[in-house]
Amino acid sequence: MKILSVVGARPQFVKLAPVHRSITKNGLHHLIVHTGQHYDDIMSKVFFDELEIPLPDVNLGAGSGLHGEQTARMLEGLEKYFIDSKPDWVLTYGDTNSTLAAALAASKLKIPMAHVEAGLRSFNKSMPEEINRIITDHCSDLLLAPTTTAMAQLSSEGLAENSVLVGDVMVDSLLFVLKTLESPFNGIGPELKFPKDFILATIHRAENTDSKERLQSIVAALSSSSIPVVIPAHPRLTNRCSSFGIELTTGNLHSINPLSYRNLIQTVQNARSIITDSGGLQKEAFLLDKPCTTIRGETEWIETLEDGWNILLPDLDGLIDVALRQAPSKEKSQPYGDGTASEKIVNALTSLN
Ligand code: UD1
């Protein structure tokens, strides 16, 4: 059986790693296609190296651009590659433009296609990711849901029959990397040794970076913190700041290069709290017992809101005070599974073949 995974953006490499291990452990043939959506070493190669993912069988070099042109380049390359390589299953991950392109290419060619992380919704259609998720789910032959909330959503959209609850592959990745961490903590990334007490922040969503006023308010709020705020800057954030003339290292805000996955996890473990607009980081904070403040109006990962572990704060009101609240004392539930999602994914694929 030949399984073909399509990835292209940073969070997809983290999701691919445990799935690749399970596929090869089960003696199945795995092809990896990189769309080239993320192309800087620090956004791509570092993750393949660190997570021991083999080099992609092909890189389509789609690069950046308007969403339509970027997705179209991927679609064209994927279609050709699917025709040549004849996979039994195409696996697509998450909610990026690479996810959408893989879903469209496979479904037009009638190649069975499975979606890892199916059933998530923000109910905010102004997010490109929400459109990508909905279309991908409705094209999928197999919907691999991370949570019971996602399963209920798929059912409400008439997709229950092809949905399977597998858990969250990000838990698989996190548990794998936790076993490999060095201790003690040696500072954040290669370039910065850092004080004991700090907040970790990440911002990259279009809704927070594309308007100068919005980005200025976020930077002002973060830089006014009483303790250092470290922000590993996604290229989108760096680009927007430089075109808007916004200084990212200012006041108590310290910008550093994007971190590798292992470095990021270690930094979360050592941070007092997290401020973010990333979906993955909301969960990593939850799983690693760190209070998280999400500067968005909604989250796809609603389980993280339990007991105030994660708080949504789109208006930034009292951001630093909210971020520095005490961690909740109640024990958490385990809504994201036990780290065996990738094994369950492979079982689901093989049982349907
Ligand atoms: C994409 C995903 C988003 C995901 C994020 C993770 C979509 C619609 N969005 O957003 O869901 O959370 O990846 O990072 O697919 N750039 C570089 N080097 C790179 C990659 C990007 O400089 O290696 C710059 C380019 O200027 C590019 C911009 O970052 O235009 C945005 O990149 P893009 O891939 O379009 O979307 P992301 O914001 O990364």
Side-chain angles (χ1 to χ4, degrees):
M1 183 171 149
K2 197 193 279 182
I3 300 170
L4 188 157
S5 286
V6 178
V7 290
R10 185 171 61 175
Q12 293 171 319
F13 311 140
V14 179
K15 292 165 196 168
L16 169 68
V19 175
H20 172 73
R21 275 196 299 278
S22 291
I23 291 175
T24 48
K25 199 174 106 195
N26 283 279
L28 304 171
H29 185 181
H30 192 205
L31 290 172
I32 298 174
V33 179
H34 192 318
T35 63
Q37 178 172 352
H38 285 176
Y39 42 85
D40 290 350
D41 282 358
I42 209 164
M43 297 293 288
S44 176
K45 184 176 181 304
V46 164
F47 290 80
F48 280 79
D49 293 348
E50 189 176 279
L51 296 169
E52 297 170 28
I53 309 168
L55 284 179
D57 294 275
V58 64
N59 188 322
L60 302 174
S64 305
L66 292 170
H67 284 225
E69 66 176 347
Q70 184 187 52
T71 311
R73 280 198 295 266
M74 295 174 190
L75 194 49
E76 196 178 358
L78 288 171
E79 189 168 61
K80 283 202 189 90
Y81 194 76
F82 291 175
I83 290 171
D84 292 345
S85 57
K86 300 184 182 55
D88 298 300
W89 276 102
V90 167
L91 270 184
T92 187
Y93 300 75
D95 56 16
T96 73
N97 289 343
S98 299
T99 317
L100 174 67
L104 290 176
S107 58
K108 296 278 180 185
L109 291 170
K110 302 192 173 36
I111 298 171
M113 190 266 295
H115 183 203
V116 176
E117 227 175 62
L120 296 185
R121 298 289 181 267
S122 66
F123 304 102
N124 174 0
K125 282 197 180 156
S126 69
M127 291 176 71
E129 291 84 2
E130 184 72 352
I131 305 296
N132 294 345
R133 290 180 197 118
I134 294 171
I135 297 175
T136 302
D137 280 346
H138 283 263
C139 291
S140 294
D141 301 287
L142 176 62
L143 298 115
L144 301 158
T147 59
T148 53
T149 314
M151 285 294 280
Q153 182 60 34
L154 293 170
S155 174
S156 77
E157 294 180 27
L159 300 171
E161 208 185 318
N162 297 327
S163 303
V164 183
L165 177 64
V166 291
D168 188 346
V169 286
M170 297 282 282
V171 176
D172 301 21
S173 252
L174 178 65
L175 296 182
F176 180 79
V177 162
L178 283 178
K179 282 190 247 146
T180 70
L181 290 181
E182 300 155 17
S183 54
F185 183 53
N186 282 327
I188 302 160
E191 83 240 67
L192 194 66
K193 301 270 178 219
F194 223 78
K196 274 198 161 16
D197 198 21
F198 63 93
I199 296 171
L200 171 68
T202 74
I203 308 296
H204 76 282
R205 295 271 173 205
E207 71 235 49
N208 284 329
T209 54
D210 282 1
S211 136
K212 182 176 179 184
E213 290 68 35
R214 174 72 180 165
L215 189 51
Q216 259 170 341
S217 332
I218 293 171
V219 169
L222 293 174
S223 63
S224 71
S225 172
S226 51
I227 68 169
V229 178
V230 178
I231 186 157
H234 185 287
R236 180 186 198 105
L237 176 65
T238 313
N239 294 346
R240 292 291 187 273
C241 281
S242 74
S243 58
F244 294 147
I246 297 172
E247 197 53 65
L248 200 48
T249 289
T250 172
N252 226 350
L253 178 61
H254 305 266
S255 156
I256 59 169
N257 283 328
L259 296 172
S260 75
Y261 182 62
R262 191 185 291 147
N263 256 326
L264 174 81
I265 295 305
Q266 219 170 7
T267 306
V268 174
Q269 283 182 312
N270 285 277
R272 169 121 64 114
S273 91
I274 312 298
I275 297 175
T276 192
D277 60 5
S278 145
L281 199 48
Q282 290 173 53
K283 263 182 306 164
E284 279 143 7
F286 182 80
L287 296 166
L288 294 168
D289 300 331
K290 298 293 170 177
C292 180
T293 308
T294 298
I295 49 177
R296 285 178 50 197
E298 69 284 307
T299 177
E300 303 78 35
W301 301 103
I302 56 163
E303 301 80 5
T304 59
L305 301 175
E306 182 182 320
D307 294 324
W309 278 102
N310 185 14
I311 289 180
L312 301 177
L313 201 70
D315 60 9
L316 311 174
D317 225 9
L319 176 64
I320 299 301
D321 289 341
V322 174
L324 293 178
R325 69 193 180 276
Q326 284 289 323
S329 52
K330 271 209 231 152
E331 209 167 301
K332 281 193 259 100
S333 59
Q334 223 193 25
Y336 298 114
D338 58 3
T340 57
S342 35
E343 203 53 47
K344 292 188 182 111
I345 288 172
V346 174
N347 289 343
L349 293 173
T350 49
S351 69
L352 285 173
N353 202 43

